[in-house]
Amino acid sequence: EMTSSLVGSEMCIRDRITGGSNGLGIEISKLLVERHVNVVVLDKEEPNESIKDNLRFIRCDLNDEKQLIKSINEIKSTIGLPTILINNAAIRHSETLLDLSYTKIKDLFQVNTLAQVILLKEIIKDIKDSRLYVVTMASILGLVSPSHL
């Protein structure tokens, strides 16, 4: 039995995953697809691997607020409200804080923090009697920094 899924969420089960085109994101996507979850991946890059029919890719730059809102509205209108939101996307730079430009700092906060808040707000404003499960991935880099970062 196939349940329906959304980018990071499921109606019966819909899953929406940011940063789902490679690494941990693609592995989470594969596991969910194997369990008959309909998955929508929002990412700037299309997945390198071909995945089953119940995975949909929407090209979206999480650094672009308008593109982000447009993508989530497309998901809601074509697939439905998500029941699971998996925030997996993140960017980092190798420069030290003192060497980072203000543009790069803004990009870091937009993708790593604000995009998650925008997605959450855009989804929950339409949820009435259903639930949304939110999973936010974090990196060990948040606790322990390699030298020179």
Side-chain angles (χ1 to χ4, degrees), residues 17 20 24-33 39 41 51 55:
I17 302 175
L24 182 60
I26 195 70
E27 296 304 320
I28 293 170
S29 297
K30 286 194 254 184
L31 287 172
L32 290 169
V33 165
V39 176
V41 171
I51 302 180
L55 182 132

Side-chain angles (χ1 to χ4, degrees), residues 55-77:
L55 182 132
R56 181 168 174 200
F57 169 76
I58 296 177
R59 186 174 308 279
C60 180
D61 181 356
L62 299 181
N63 201 19
D64 183 335
E65 182 180 330
K66 289 179 183 172
Q67 201 175 111
L68 191 56
I69 292 170
K70 179 182 176 199
S71 296
I72 197 65
N73 286 335
E74 176 184 341
I75 293 165
K76 290 190 295 187
S77 67

